Amino acid sequence: MDCSNSIETCESPYQILLIAASLIPIYHYLLGFLFIFLVFLYNFFEIHILRDLLTGFRGQPVSLTFNSCSEVYQDVVSKCRILHGRYLATPWLSSPHFQTSFLSFFGRPPAFHYRRQLFHTPDGGTMALDWLVNSDDASFEVKDVITKHDKTPIVIVIPGLTSDSSSAYIKHFAFKVAKCGWNVVVTNHRGLGGISITSDCFYNAGWTEDIRKIIDHLHYQYPEAPLFVVGTSIGANILVKYLGEDGINTPVAGAAAVCSPWDLLICDRFINRRMVQKFYDKALIMGLKGYAQLHQLVLSRLADWEGILKVTCILFLISSYPHLHRANKNIVLATTQHGGHLAFYEGITAKSIWWVRAVHEFFSVLQTSSLIHRKKEAEIQVPHSISPQESSIDQAPHVNITEDGMVTAMGNEQTNVEDAHDEPIGQNEVGVDKISETHRGDQVTGERTHLTDDPPQPQGRDANDINIPVRTYMDRLSRHSRKSIWLLAYIAIITTWPLVGPALSLLFKKRIRNALPAVLKRK
């Protein structure tokens, strides 16, 4: 009765709303705010548990993109059951961000041992090649010694940015492949895996010369063993760029690029688009700063240390997308709707990673296909030359840091693989968890030894032979740069139009109204 009288005496509708709002219990407001907050978190972290529930936890089908005339698809991918199936993420990790975080902080990698081989590059650099030799699981044990005429396939793994052989996703894949009897070797980037920087050269996302030297060396050492290569993240960009540069001249029998940043310029813009994605940008920066601080003595000798800490780089020069095209018959693209960056956990216990099983099945089917036999016949008819082709614009990762923090690259002359030898390395803070104490060959000393069966040295090149491909890549780069600029402009217009569109419409309406004669305005 009092409420009705008070409402009747109120003249303002806002006062009536306030009175009505005051009658709602406080816990109803708390429940409402909690619901809104949960909806915000659900969208912010891109959780898809409700969608999985509505589909009966069947997962989403894998999307395959390929050329209709692709022999790789017809002879290999069409027989891969996993690529033609569905991917269902672990229910309690039903978010790409949950998956990526879980991989970074937990990972659940299997336990096994590496045998380390030090690979010395012609410029004096040192890289660690870690061979999986045995596991704590007694179900398998890989041969400690590989003979020259061994025909067992060798899988080469290229880690991502600041990752090495101790990374969880690397161990998941290496364990899965080695369990089937194949040989697995992880190529740690310069300055990673517990190895110090021994030259003025560093690695970057487009530096393909290191992996080219390693692949050529392994092919020379084990000519009868098929070589398969897996690149992850930045390592995938390096792999695809290398394959595009060498083409049919590569001795690689099959390759898989996982979570590749095809266009680093677009990826750089995308990773700074939303708040949750900026966390990844900060994480990458922290990783690179940790890498720089680990080798501060070398870096501070080459450039100003403060400039290194605020360093930036030109990304489009080292992207792999200029070496790809949609009509390529040798490429099959597999994409999933869900999953994190290199983290595709599946199963209720999250012990398995989907892409690990998919790549392993792809290599297994490829190994038994007719394409492998045709590859071997082609190598017999046209022997592979150890001397690799000239790289593209970013010929060498010699770092030159200017005062404003910009990184530029300087080229060097092409030379061949100098030497590689085995050395036992003990456990260290930044290396792998456990290194086998066994090694083959003669006793290792502190001096560098040369292999007795070094590949033939390449002949000298004319300056025009180097300038012509550089000019070709410059022309191609300029074309692709224009495409990237238009694509970025299109993305900017689409993403900002909901805000800019109404403002422009209102502005033009006012200008048109002011420009009309007074008579038309009255009408």
Side-chain angles (χ1 to χ4, degrees):
M1 187 70 180
D2 295 337
C3 294
S4 61
N5 292 334
S6 60
I7 293 176
E8 291 176 357
T9 57
C10 292
E11 297 179 356
S12 173
Y14 295 105
Q15 293 180 348
I16 298 176
L17 290 175
L18 290 175
I19 294 174
S22 64
L23 299 177
I24 300 176
I26 296 178
Y27 74 91
H28 286 186
Y29 286 106
L30 296 178
L31 291 176
F33 283 122
L34 179 62
F35 176 77
I36 294 173
F37 181 69
L38 291 177
V39 171
F40 168 77
L41 291 181
Y42 189 90
N43 290 277
F44 183 79
F45 291 110
E46 303 176 56
I47 302 174
H48 49 81
I49 184 66
L50 295 180
R51 184 173 183 177
D52 294 340
L53 180 62
L54 293 176
T55 58
F57 291 100
R58 295 174 59 242
Q60 301 297 324
V62 180
S63 176
L64 297 176
T65 304
F66 55 91
N67 189 299
S68 58
C69 302
S70 172
E71 293 182 346
V72 174
Y73 177 80
Q74 299 297 336
D75 295 349
V76 182
V77 178
S78 62
K79 302 176 184 178
C80 295
R81 179 183 57 85
I82 297 175
L83 292 177
H84 284 83
R86 293 170 172 264
Y87 168 64
L88 174 64
T90 300
W92 47 278
L93 292 175
S94 56
S95 163
H97 310 293
F98 293 168
Q99 292 246 2
T100 304
S101 300
F102 186 82
L103 177 64
S104 301
F105 294 105
F106 303 98
R108 293 184 177 179
F112 54 80
H113 306 281
Y114 287 118
R115 173 177 55 82
R116 172 153 291 186
Q117 177 186 16
L118 294 184
F119 184 85
H120 299 284
T121 59
D123 60 276
T126 305
M127 299 177 63
L129 305 183
D130 288 336
W131 297 79
L132 191 152
V133 289
N134 58 71
S135 169
D136 292 342
D137 184 0
S139 60
F140 79 96
E141 183 171 349
V142 182
K143 293 179 294 184
D144 186 35
V145 177
I146 307 176
T147 62
K148 188 176 184 65
H149 300 288
D150 197 330
K151 297 182 179 181
T152 305
I154 298 176
V155 180
I156 306 169
V157 185
I158 310 174
L161 185 69
T162 68
S163 297
D164 55 24
S165 56
S166 65
S167 300
Y169 65 90
I170 298 292
K171 286 189 170 183
H172 275 284
F173 178 77
F175 182 84
K176 178 70 174 180
V177 174
K179 199 170 184 179
C180 298
W182 289 19
N183 295 310
V184 183
V185 56
V186 183
T187 63
N188 297 279
H189 299 295
R190 300 187 184 211
L192 294 174
I195 300 299
S196 301
I197 296 291
T198 58
S199 70
D200 294 345
C201 291
F202 303 88
Y203 77 98
N204 61 44
W207 173 237
T208 58
E209 206 59 37
D210 285 344
I211 190 61
R212 179 178 290 106
K213 297 294 187 185
I214 291 173
I215 290 176
D216 287 341
H217 168 70
L218 294 177
H219 180 58
Y220 182 80
Q221 292 292 321
Y222 315 106
E224 299 185 22
L227 298 181
F228 298 88
V229 188
V230 176
T232 56
S233 190
I234 291 297
N237 186 84
I238 296 174
L239 171 61
V240 173
K241 189 169 180 288
Y242 156 73
L243 295 175
E245 290 172 352
D246 284 30
I248 61 174
N249 296 320
T250 175
V252 174
V258 184
C259 294
S260 175
W262 308 108
D263 192 329
L264 297 178
L265 184 62
I266 299 296
C267 290
D268 178 67
R269 300 297 183 269
F270 180 82
I271 204 172
N272 288 284
R273 188 182 60 146
R274 298 175 55 189
M275 182 182 298
V276 67
Q277 292 160 348
K278 291 183 178 180
F279 286 113
Y280 297 107
D281 187 38
K282 299 296 183 183
L284 292 175
I285 293 175
M286 289 176 60
L288 289 175
K289 285 186 176 180
Y291 175 82
Q293 291 171 354
L294 189 64
H295 306 289
Q296 181 177 354
L297 294 177
V298 179
L299 288 170
S300 59
R301 176 174 55 84
L302 299 176
D304 177 60
W305 177 248
E306 296 299 328
I308 293 174
L309 295 179
K310 61 179 182 180
V311 69
T312 57
C313 63
I314 303 176
L315 296 176
F316 67 88
L317 291 178
I318 53 181
S319 298
S320 62
Y321 81 93
H323 303 276
L324 298 173
H325 52 87
R326 186 179 294 274
N328 195 318
K329 297 180 181 180
N330 298 320
I331 295 177
V332 176
L333 175 64
T335 56
T336 61
Q337 293 187 6
H338 301 143
H341 184 65
L342 298 172
F344 291 78
Y345 283 100
E346 56 185 357
I348 193 66
T349 59
K351 289 185 178 180
S352 175
I353 297 181
W354 177 84
W355 72 262
V356 169
R357 294 194 303 114
V359 172
H360 174 257
E361 182 188 43
F362 171 72
F363 283 167
S364 300
V365 177
L366 178 60
Q367 169 64 11
T368 59
S369 69
S370 60
L371 294 179
I372 291 292
H373 301 291
R374 277 182 252 169
K375 173 74 174 176
K376 291 180 180 178
E377 293 175 357
E379 289 182 355
I380 293 175
Q381 295 175 1
V382 183
H384 174 71
S385 175
I386 297 296
S387 177
Q389 293 182 353
E390 201 72 26
S391 297
S392 60
I393 297 172
D394 48 327
Q395 172 60 29
H398 290 287
V399 176
N400 180 24
I401 304 178
T402 59
E403 294 181 357
D404 57 356
M406 181 65 70
V407 170
T408 58
M410 301 174 60
N412 66 342
E413 296 180 357
Q414 181 74 28
T415 52
N416 207 339
V417 178
E418 187 173 2
D419 61 282
H421 59 269
D422 298 340
E423 293 185 9
I425 304 296
Q427 182 178 358
N428 50 59
E429 296 180 357
V430 295
V432 294
D433 293 340
K434 207 168 186 179
I435 304 295
S436 174
E437 293 295 330
T438 61
H439 66 281
R440 60 175 203 270
D442 298 332
Q443 183 177 1
V444 178
T445 63
E447 299 177 356
R448 297 171 59 188
T449 59
H450 294 270
L451 295 175
T452 57
D453 52 353
D454 281 344
Q457 296 296 326
Q459 297 179 356
R461 297 188 178 184
D462 186 22
N464 293 329
D465 296 335
I466 300 177
N467 293 332
I468 291 176
V470 170
R471 288 196 298 268
T472 302
Y473 278 106
M474 284 294 292
D475 295 338
R476 186 187 304 175
L477 179 63
S478 62
R479 291 195 300 270
H480 285 286
S481 298
R482 289 194 293 270
K483 292 180 181 179
S484 297
I485 292 173
W486 284 111
L487 180 59
L488 287 174
Y490 171 76
I491 294 174
I493 293 173
I494 293 298
T495 54
T496 60
W497 185 253
L499 297 176
V500 178
L504 292 176
S505 177
L506 181 61
L507 177 62
F508 282 113
K509 283 182 179 180
K510 289 183 177 180
R511 290 190 175 184
I512 293 174
R513 191 177 302 169
N514 295 333
L516 291 176
V519 178
L520 294 178
K521 289 182 180 180
R522 295 195 191 104
K523 292 181 179 181

